[in-house]
Amino acid sequence: MSSEQKPVLYSYWRSSCSWRVRIALGLKNIDYEYKTVNLLSAEALSELKEINPAAKVPTYVDNGHALSESMAIIEYLEETHPEVPLLPKDPVKRALARQIALLVTSGIQPLHNLKVLQTLNKKEAGLGQQFAKQFVVEGLTALEVLLKQNSGKYCIGDELTMADLNIPPLVYSANRFGLDLSAYPTVNRINATLAEIPAFIAAHPDNQPDTGLNA
Amino acid sequence: MSSEQKPVLYSYWRSSCSWRVRIALGLKNIDYEYKTVNLLSAEALSELKEINPAAKVPTYVDNGHALSESMAIIEYLEETHPEVPLLPKDPVKRALARQIALLVTSGIQPLHNLKVLQTLNKKEAGLGQQFAKQFVVEGLTALEVLLKQNSGKYCIGDELTMADLNIPPLVYSANRFGLDLSAYPTVNRINATLAEIPAFIAAHPDNQPDTGLNA
């Protein structure tokens, strides 16, 4: 396999987990091939399953190795492309950056992803949204306190870290659920700051090759 | 604050997230003070919230810094106590170890934790278990394939990594849900191997200061 071969990102425009990896790739100036996975197509998921047994996006293929779980991919990018760091140097700040990232990726996002909504809405129309909203609100409430304590311009002081990659997808989801975000001024402030950064603009769901699919 | 002060782990015996941090602390020979958080006590959760806005266990306090999210704590322990490594040296293997760990901590555990069960069972008795089982089965199915591809004695070849810390809590939860685990021979084999290791025995829910609380 040629070392010249571009890495491939299996992604879906509105997947928040794909989104945060797209931001990391952009910030680190990594050129990659975008492959759309239509999450509503059983055939597309079955194809994806051949390289990722969990059949989830994002799946990142680098030199023939298929990697998944957004935070594992981001840590891999951090280790293999350290030139633009997404973690501070201080161990406590590194832990806080990961904590904020994981509060979203493990504590909030899994409870409002597409499969969860589908499963609960099959039980009762709207149950998925009702369930998701409760956990998004709980997560946002904790996040706001953590950001008040730790943020500067960005989530952890004035350094852009992997924590920040989670803010725009979370705010986007919260807006899709129609939540009132006025109780989270620090989240909103950081989100507005991030929205001006080119890598964040390029990674936005509105700017992907598959934007609008199934919309 | 004295540097002699022991770190404190806020934990609950049956919390799978606390459990995996207890294993890491044991493997790395880190002496710590165990503080029980009664997850069914509103007062205990309110107290915990003062140091961790998400009011979740585990919360790990080191030199006055309160850290949470089990994977963030484990990465912090890895960076501050590298003598017993829980990540391989090769970047792809590191990514796979994290991927397997996150498949459990982000992809499975959040969907069967106490709060999720409580929320859904309030809606309809047994709905929580029904929901949880579906996602535990899906997760175990993907995990079995990944472990068949990557395991040796442990999850990633013959090296103990942070992936392994997730296996016993997952199998324990699956058993509590009454799932048939015969379809996951690699998961079972690794779980049996891990069950012989002193740090894994010491971290087991049956061997904690608060074992049996609310049982």
Side-chain angles (χ1 to χ4, degrees):
Chain A
M1 183 157 300
S2 161
S3 63
E4 301 290 312
Q5 199 167 4
K6 272 191 204 178
V8 175
L9 183 70
Y10 290 83
S11 169
Y12 181 69
W13 62 295
R14 218 154 48 177
S15 145
S16 58
C17 302
S18 302
W19 185 351
R20 66 178 85 93
V21 171
R22 294 193 303 253
I23 301 171
L25 288 164
L27 288 169
K28 289 177 176 287
N29 300 304
I30 300 169
D31 191 24
Y32 65 97
E33 185 187 344
Y34 187 105
K35 284 202 181 165
T36 299
V37 179
N38 183 345
L39 294 185
L40 296 188
S41 153
E43 193 187 337
L45 290 174
S46 170
E47 269 178 45
L48 180 60
K49 204 171 193 171
E50 285 174 30
I51 59 162
N52 174 2
K56 292 195 287 195
V57 291
T59 300
Y60 184 70
V61 182
D62 194 19
N63 290 317
H65 301 288
L67 305 172
S68 76
E69 297 299 331
S70 62
M71 284 291 288
I73 297 170
I74 291 165
E75 295 273 1
Y76 172 79
L77 298 177
E78 183 71 2
E79 293 181 347
T80 54
H81 294 80
E83 309 80 30
V84 181
L86 293 177
L87 282 171
K89 287 209 188 313
D90 173 68
V92 169
K93 285 189 182 167
R94 292 168 76 85
L96 286 169
R98 287 179 170 125
Q99 173 180 332
I100 288 171
L102 288 159
L103 174 68
V104 179
T105 63
S106 292
I108 305 177
Q109 193 281 332
L111 299 164
H112 71 72
N113 72 22
L114 187 59
K115 225 178 220 174
V116 165
L117 296 180
Q118 286 170 336
T119 299
L120 292 176
N121 286 339
K122 216 184 288 177
K123 178 81 195 165
E124 180 186 308
L127 181 59
Q129 279 70 18
Q130 182 190 323
F131 175 83
K133 277 184 196 176
Q134 173 187 329
F135 288 100
V136 174
V137 167
E138 277 184 22
L140 274 167
T141 306
L143 181 64
E144 177 66 22
V145 179
L146 278 171
L147 292 182
K148 258 191 197 134
Q149 291 168 350
N150 295 291
S151 66
K153 188 175 174 189
Y154 303 119
C155 289
I156 307 292
D158 295 330
E159 266 178 295
L160 201 60
T161 68
M162 56 177 71
D164 297 292
L165 315 188
N166 295 279
I167 304 302
L170 177 62
V171 171
Y172 182 88
S173 296
N175 280 324
R176 284 190 73 202
F177 290 125
L179 293 169
D180 173 10
L181 296 183
S182 59
Y184 319 108
T186 319
V187 175
N188 290 328
R189 174 180 58 76
I190 293 171
N191 189 53
T193 303
L194 297 172
E196 305 292 324
I197 299 173
F200 282 74
I201 295 169
H204 193 281
D206 288 352
N207 302 324
Q208 303 315 306
D210 56 340
T211 298
L213 183 64
N214 305 318
Chain B
M1 181 157 302
S2 162
S3 62
E4 301 289 313
Q5 200 169 4
K6 271 192 207 178
V8 175
L9 182 70
Y10 290 83
S11 169
Y12 181 68
W13 63 296
R14 218 152 52 175
S15 145
S16 58
C17 302
S18 301
W19 185 351
R20 65 177 86 95
V21 171
R22 295 195 301 257
I23 301 171
L25 289 164
L27 288 169
K28 289 178 175 287
N29 300 304
I30 300 169
D31 192 24
Y32 65 97
E33 185 186 345
Y34 187 107
K35 286 203 179 162
T36 299
V37 178
N38 184 346
L39 295 186
L40 297 188
S41 154
E43 195 188 338
L45 290 175
S46 170
E47 268 177 48
L48 181 60
K49 204 170 192 171
E50 285 174 28
I51 58 162
N52 174 1
K56 290 195 288 194
V57 291
T59 300
Y60 184 69
V61 182
D62 194 21
N63 291 318
H65 301 289
L67 305 173
S68 78
E69 297 298 331
S70 62
M71 283 291 289
I73 297 170
I74 292 166
E75 296 273 1
Y76 173 78
L77 297 177
E78 182 71 1
E79 293 182 346
T80 54
H81 294 78
E83 310 81 32
V84 180
L86 293 177
L87 282 172
K89 287 208 188 311
D90 172 69
V92 170
K93 286 189 181 166
R94 292 168 75 86
L96 287 168
R98 287 180 170 125
Q99 173 179 333
I100 288 172
L102 288 159
L103 174 67
V104 179
T105 62
S106 293
I108 307 178
Q109 196 281 333
L111 299 165
H112 72 72
N113 73 21
L114 187 60
K115 223 177 221 174
V116 166
L117 295 179
Q118 285 170 338
T119 299
L120 292 177
N121 286 339
K122 215 184 286 171
K123 179 80 196 169
E124 179 186 310
L127 181 59
Q129 279 70 17
Q130 182 191 323
F131 176 83
K133 277 184 196 178
Q134 172 187 330
F135 288 101
V136 174
V137 166
E138 275 184 24
L140 274 167
T141 305
L143 181 64
E144 176 67 20
V145 178
L146 279 171
L147 292 182
K148 258 191 198 132
Q149 291 167 351
N150 296 292
S151 68
K153 188 175 176 188
Y154 303 119
C155 289
I156 307 293
D158 294 329
E159 266 178 294
L160 203 60
T161 67
M162 54 177 72
D164 297 292
L165 316 187
N166 296 278
I167 304 301
L170 177 62
V171 170
Y172 182 88
S173 295
N175 281 323
R176 285 190 73 205
F177 289 125
L179 293 171
D180 173 10
L181 297 184
S182 58
Y184 318 108
T186 319
V187 175
N188 290 326
R189 173 179 60 74
I190 293 170
N191 189 54
T193 302
L194 298 171
E196 305 292 325
I197 300 173
F200 282 74
I201 295 169
H204 194 280
D206 288 353
N207 302 324
Q208 304 315 306
D210 57 340
T211 298
L213 183 64
N214 305 320

